[in-house]
Amino acid sequence: MRFTTVRTALIFAMTLMLGVLTLLVAPVSPAEAASTATMENQLFSLTNQTRKSHGVPAVSANACLKNYARSHAAAMARNDPPRNKNPRIWHQNLNPILSGCRMTMVGENVAAGYSTAAQAHNGWWNSPGHRKNMMNRQFNRLGAGVALSRNGRYYYVTVYGRQ
């Protein structure tokens, strides 16, 4: 491509970079956003139903914890390997959540690859360490995050806190 002025070349380059950045960020469609928000609400409800059925007080929703949960789910979804490989999941550093959300203690459950929020919840329930977070009487706040990767795999995060 030939440009007649430096300004035209610069505008073209900036437009091209903006297009590439838009692809890298991969905005979520409104349908996907509604679906993940519904799944987040399901995780919250399932957690409280399970806690109540075992005599453990319900947790309250916390927007700050939810932001951390969503952010971490999105980070894992961005790093999703091809579908024929196992998902990569990891725990985020919880120290910033303690101070950022003004919590006295925090815990986290992460999962990937389940098709529904109920399946992720059941996976956590069947894991002693995850169940311990879910049923911890000291936790009284919860934020849930769900993200869908470009490969169609869901990532789930629940962040528990004590305030």
Side-chain angles (χ1 to χ4, degrees), residues 81-121:
R83 287 292 285 180
N84 63 341
K85 306 262 186 192
N86 288 330
R88 288 185 215 126
I89 59 174
W90 66 90
H91 289 281
Q92 63 187 310
N93 180 355
L94 299 179
N95 288 327
I97 301 172
L98 278 169
S99 58
C101 297
R102 296 188 176 112
M103 298 289 156
T104 58
M105 66 182 284
V106 293
E108 173 182 69
N109 287 347
V110 298
Y114 294 103
S115 300
T116 67
Q119 290 173 347
H121 176 80

Side-chain angles (χ1 to χ4, degrees), residues 4-68:
T4 54
T5 67
V6 173
R7 182 174 179 229
T8 304
L10 186 59
I11 290 171
F12 175 77
M14 289 174 59
T15 303
L16 183 62
M17 285 176 52
L18 199 67
V20 169
L21 285 174
T22 301
L23 289 175
L24 289 175
V25 172
V28 200
S29 73
E32 289 171 347
S35 174
T36 55
T38 298
M39 293 170 106
E40 291 168 352
N41 291 336
Q42 290 170 342
L43 286 174
F44 183 82
S45 295
L46 287 165
T47 299
N48 274 332
Q49 288 170 14
T50 302
R51 287 172 66 98
K52 286 179 185 177
S53 71
H54 288 85
V56 178
V59 290
S60 300
N62 182 277
C64 184
L65 295 178
K66 184 176 196 146
N67 287 338
Y68 276 98

